[in-house]
């Protein structure tokens, strides 16, 4: 990959953040809150009035005459951090796979594009772009209303269980269903309110590698949820019928399955069959006493010799996450371990989301966050200190330092009510033996960068760093004979680096309107791309997060989008994925201006 190590200059005056097109972020949030508080869908709230009268500047395309008796309604779009918003696009709630196929054929005939939105828990412009106009012929598909069925299926040899689930079911619902049958998965993201369709589109992940002495378990993977796919049913183009149809593809038999398993919004999944393994309860222990110096110490250093590094905990349990609040020196370390029997010191839990102090924003944190957003960005160190204090005291007050229960109850710990921040995201492929080196070099660079900017009176980062590690999408984990890794998975093994066997995930969070955040992220991205360039580690972008930074915007650096990203997969793998997705949707019904540029 090309060298991006040169430093960018930092202007003394912070650059103004551009507003999304149409209504402002605040205006969209206000409109959504107003209609939601009344229990009225936005479409119903403005029934009988022209769209323009409902909100200034809101002029959507003419009301679409949808097939199959589907009823269109106007709906705002707001992504997780409120960076990508729209005051009102036409939407509908399809009921069946055939509804989706009918909509695809309607969209082709009428010049529209379809965007499934699930729970909108996403940062990147894979659903809609910030520049989507109010007149755009974009139809949002709400999969969460009807496409939520699930049932156990007969698993193939080598997997204890399997489930068929429609794309709109949420992960916490799906995992609770599996747990009721003694089944589970090794990796899930922290938020459970994500749809299955959305997690497969961007190969959502958790944090786990085998602990020292731990054997692989049938039906499980240390990679992403996409690597558990056995079959996918999707809406695709059938040249023989000259129409979009519903079709099922089997993993290991149909190459289309490996392309659709992580499709970046260039496909439309109806349902998925995924394998599962025996569920083993987890123990989750939290610590807030270790310093960042020790946890992220350089390999071979005196601090590393104490045996409390990130890699040490990874070796012991295989499942580690560090949450490092800005301008603090003691991260919140979570360590999960397989624990068939409850340890005497662990508090048993029976449901997810066991950190209420994190889910609901405490008053001191909300006040500081409000002051920051109001312009007092210099309070970033105070906000970081407050967040650390809330975590440290909250863990004690709620008796949450040592928890035990079914795996999904400890894997899901982030509710939608938490402080919503923007995040950049990268997966750094490397050898297990080099994990501590990657973590240490990243942490050293981040801390230096944060201090340099603060010395210049600028505080673009006021959230936290999150560091996790997972395995790769190894085809041997699949019970489907002949399976290959999902073609566009961030943790797909690289053909030129067979020695890479895991990935370090790094995310840096901040308030979306923080002045200078894009510049800071751009500087960090250049460090990551130049340092982890394939010599001993390789950086890839995390699809759902922020990346491709210029000084004023994310997902805007053309060199990253058009060159660096495809190169990080190997030219052949990237080209194969694009070719298959184009064949399945030659009319690009499933996509937008950003995916047109990226998946090409």
């Amino acid at each position: 990959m090309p060298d991006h190590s040169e430093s960018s200059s930092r202007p003394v005056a912070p650059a103004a953040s551009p507003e999304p097109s149409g209504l402002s972020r605040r205006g969209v949030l206000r409109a959504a809150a107003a209609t939601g508080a009344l229990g009225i869908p936005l479409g119903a709230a403005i029934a009988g009035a022209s769209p323009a009268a409902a909100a200034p500047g809101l002029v959507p395309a003419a009301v679409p005459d949808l097939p199959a008796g589907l009823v269109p309604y106007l709906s705002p779009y707001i992504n997780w951090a409120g960076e990508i918003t729209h005051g009102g696009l036409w939407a509908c709630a399809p009921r069946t796979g055939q509804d989706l196929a009918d909509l695809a054929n309607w969209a082709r005939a009428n010049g529209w594009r379809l965007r499934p939105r699930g729970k909108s828990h996403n940062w990147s412009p894979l659903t809609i772009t910030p520049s989507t106009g109010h007149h755009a012929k974009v139809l949002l598909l709400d999969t969460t209303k009807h496409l939520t069925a699930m049932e156990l299926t007969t698993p193939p040899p080598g997997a204890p269980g399997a489930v068929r689930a429609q794309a709109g079911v949420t992960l916490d619902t799906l995992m609770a269903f599996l747990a009721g049958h003694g089944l589970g998965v090794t990796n899930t993201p922290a938020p459970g309110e994500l749809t299955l369709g959305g997690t497969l589109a961007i190969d959502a992940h958790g944090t786990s590698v085998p602990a020292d002495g731990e054997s692989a378990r049938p039906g499980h993977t240390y990679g992403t949820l996409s690597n558990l796919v056995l079959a996918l049913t999707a809406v695709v183009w059938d040249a023989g019928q000259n129409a979009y149809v519903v079709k099922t593809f089997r993993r290991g038999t149909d190459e289309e399955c490996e392309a659709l398993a992580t499709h970046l919004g260039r496909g439309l999944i109806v349902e998925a069959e995924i394998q599962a393994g025996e569920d083993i309860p987890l123990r989750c222990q939290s610590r807030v006493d270790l310093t960042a110096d020790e946890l992220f110490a350089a390999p071979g250093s005196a601090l590393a010799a104490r045996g409390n590094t990130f890699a040490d905990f990874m070796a012991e349990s295989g499942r580690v996450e560090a949450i490092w609040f800005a301008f603090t020196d003691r991260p919140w370390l979570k360590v999960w371990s397989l624990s068939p029997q409850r340890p005497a010191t662990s508090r048993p839990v029976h449901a997810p989301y066991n950190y209420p102090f994190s889910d609901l924003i405490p008053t001191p944190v909300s006040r500081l966050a409000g002051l920051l957003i109001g312009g007092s960005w210099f309070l970033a160190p105070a906000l970081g200190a407050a967040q650390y204090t809330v975590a440290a005291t909250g863990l004690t007050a709620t008796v949450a330092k040592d928890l035990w229960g079914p795996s999904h109850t400890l894997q899901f710990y982030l509710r939608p009510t938490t402080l919503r921040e923007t995040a950049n995201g990268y997966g750094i492929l490397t050898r297990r033996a080099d994990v501590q080196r990657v973590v240490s070099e990243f942490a050293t660079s981040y801390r230096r960068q944060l201090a340099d900017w603060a010395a210049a009176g600028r505080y673009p980062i006021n959230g936290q760093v999150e560091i996790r590690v997972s395995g790769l999408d190894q085809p041997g984990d699949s019970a489907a004979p002949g399976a290959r890794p999902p073609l566009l998975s961030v943790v797909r093994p690289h053909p030129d680096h067979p020695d890479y066997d895991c990935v370090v995930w790094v995310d840096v969070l901040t308030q979306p309107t923080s002045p200078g955040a894009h510049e800071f992220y751009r500087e960090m991205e250049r460090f990551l791309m130049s340092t982890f360039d394939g010599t001993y580690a390789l950086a890839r972008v995390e699809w759902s997060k922020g990346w491709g930074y210029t000084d004023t915007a994310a997902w805007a650096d053309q060199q990253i989008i058009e060159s660096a990203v495809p190169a990080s997969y190997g030219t052949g793998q990237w080209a194969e994925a694009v070719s298959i997705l184009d064949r399945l949707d030659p009319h690009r019904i499933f996509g937008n201006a950003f995916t047109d540029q990226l998946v090409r």
Side-chain angles (χ1 to χ4, degrees):
M1 297 179 69
D3 189 342
H4 298 287
S5 60
E6 66 273 18
S7 299
S8 60
S9 60
R10 307 189 197 101
V12 176
S17 298
E19 285 284 2
S21 64
L23 294 176
S24 68
R25 171 177 178 266
R26 184 173 299 173
V28 173
L29 294 172
R30 188 185 300 118
T35 55
L38 295 172
I40 304 171
L42 182 61
I46 64 175
S50 69
L58 179 60
V59 185
V63 182
D65 184 13
L66 300 181
L70 292 167
V71 179
Y73 57 90
L74 278 175
S75 177
Y77 177 85
I78 309 166
N79 78 339
W80 172 255
E83 291 175 287
I84 301 176
T85 64
H86 198 291
L89 288 167
W90 291 110
C92 72
R95 299 154 302 199
T96 65
Q98 188 57 50
D99 279 354
L100 292 173
D102 291 342
L103 284 165
N105 289 309
W106 166 86
R108 181 202 171 206
N110 292 276
W112 284 64
R113 303 187 90 170
L114 306 180
R115 307 309 301 135
R117 69 173 179 190
K119 290 294 185 178
S120 303
H121 191 137
N122 185 36
W123 287 262
S124 60
L126 297 179
T127 302
I128 66 169
T129 66
S131 60
T132 302
H134 293 300
H135 61 283
K137 289 187 174 183
V138 174
L139 183 69
L140 299 177
L141 306 180
D142 186 351
T143 60
T144 66
K145 293 292 193 294
H146 305 295
L147 296 172
T148 59
M150 52 190 170
E151 62 178 357
L152 293 183
T153 61
T154 301
V163 61
R164 181 183 296 114
Q166 291 183 308
V169 70
T170 59
L171 287 189
D172 49 10
T173 299
L174 178 60
M175 296 307 154
F177 175 78
L178 286 173
H181 296 276
L183 299 169
V185 303
T186 295
N187 274 341
T188 70
E193 197 189 38
L194 306 174
T195 62
L196 177 61
T199 60
L200 294 180
I202 50 87
D203 73 318
H205 64 89
T207 179
S208 74
V209 294
D212 285 354
E214 179 182 331
S215 300
R217 295 180 292 150
H220 287 268
T221 182
Y222 297 103
T224 69
L225 286 168
S226 294
N227 201 37
L228 297 176
V229 166
L230 295 171
L232 290 172
T233 299
V235 176
V236 300
W237 178 253
D238 186 307
Q241 297 186 50
N242 194 37
Y244 284 91
V245 300
V246 178
K247 190 171 182 179
T248 298
F249 302 99
R250 304 296 308 183
R251 182 92 176 268
T253 301
D254 302 311
E255 63 178 3
E256 295 87 348
C257 198
E258 276 80 10
L260 289 168
T262 304
H263 58 74
L264 313 186
R266 280 288 286 119
L268 182 57
I269 302 299
V270 179
E271 65 182 27
E273 184 179 359
I274 62 173
Q275 67 186 47
E278 178 188 0
D279 192 35
I280 295 180
L282 292 176
R283 181 188 193 185
C284 184
Q285 296 170 281
S286 289
R287 295 184 62 170
V288 290
D289 59 316
L290 292 171
T291 66
D293 287 340
E294 189 169 359
L295 189 62
F296 307 135
S301 66
L303 280 175
R306 295 181 180 180
N308 288 319
T309 67
F310 187 93
D312 288 325
F313 288 103
M314 181 186 75
E316 180 182 351
S317 72
R319 299 152 178 83
V320 187
E321 177 184 56
I323 300 176
W324 185 15
F325 300 107
F327 299 100
T328 64
D329 64 350
R330 283 178 168 77
W332 175 7
L333 177 70
K334 292 195 191 83
V335 179
W336 294 263
S337 53
L338 296 175
S339 182
Q341 303 298 320
R342 180 175 74 87
T345 59
S346 298
R347 176 168 70 88
V349 296
H350 306 285
Y353 313 115
N354 293 290
Y355 305 109
F357 54 87
S358 176
D359 295 333
L360 299 173
I361 307 171
T363 299
V365 173
S366 64
R367 285 176 177 171
L368 279 169
L371 290 170
L372 257 75
I373 295 171
S376 300
W377 300 103
F378 61 88
L379 292 174
L383 178 61
Q387 289 177 300
Y388 168 81
T389 299
V390 165
T393 58
L395 285 166
T396 300
T398 61
V399 196
K401 285 187 175 180
D402 191 349
L403 304 175
W404 178 88
S407 62
H408 75 285
T409 66
L410 296 177
Q411 290 172 312
F412 297 131
Y413 57 86
L414 185 64
R415 288 186 185 273
T417 51
T418 192
L419 186 64
R420 297 200 177 191
E421 301 164 300
T422 191
N424 70 354
Y426 304 88
I428 304 166
L429 277 67
T430 192
R431 293 174 288 271
R432 183 174 174 134
D434 286 325
V435 164
Q436 188 63 27
R437 180 181 174 186
V438 168
V439 169
S440 179
E441 290 188 359
F442 164 76
T444 299
S445 176
Y446 164 75
R447 183 149 48 181
R448 182 186 302 118
Q449 187 181 351
L450 199 66
D452 287 348
W453 281 64
R458 302 187 65 187
Y459 298 89
I461 302 300
N462 43 66
Q464 61 273 11
V465 172
E466 296 176 350
I467 303 175
R468 290 172 283 181
V469 63
S470 76
L472 303 187
D473 281 346
Q474 301 291 358
D477 296 341
S478 176
R484 296 189 302 159
L487 290 172
L488 295 182
S489 170
V490 177
V491 297
R492 176 184 173 85
H494 196 287
D496 299 334
H497 300 281
D499 51 330
Y500 294 168
D501 56 6
C502 63
V503 59
V504 177
W505 300 93
V506 295
D507 305 308
V508 179
L509 292 82
T510 195
Q511 284 299 306
T513 55
S514 300
H518 291 118
E519 297 171 71
F520 188 97
Y521 283 145
R522 177 174 173 83
E523 185 177 326
M524 175 177 289
E525 186 170 73
R526 289 182 173 187
F527 164 79
L528 293 172
M529 295 292 185
S530 61
T531 302
F532 309 122
D533 61 353
T535 303
Y536 82 94
L538 176 68
R540 286 176 176 164
V541 303
E542 185 176 358
W543 297 125
S544 65
K545 302 290 177 60
W547 47 271
Y549 290 95
T550 65
D551 285 346
T552 57
W555 317 291
D557 185 316
Q558 300 306 305
Q559 191 278 330
I560 295 292
I561 295 171
E562 298 177 5
S563 178
V565 167
S568 69
Y569 284 78
T571 305
Q573 283 72 18
W574 185 267
E576 180 185 3
V578 172
S579 174
I580 294 171
L581 292 172
D582 280 346
R583 172 164 50 82
L584 296 178
D585 179 27
H587 306 288
R588 293 189 170 261
I589 300 302
F590 315 128
N592 59 34
F594 178 69
T595 60
D596 289 346
Q597 183 183 18
L598 173 65
V599 189
R600 56 189 288 273

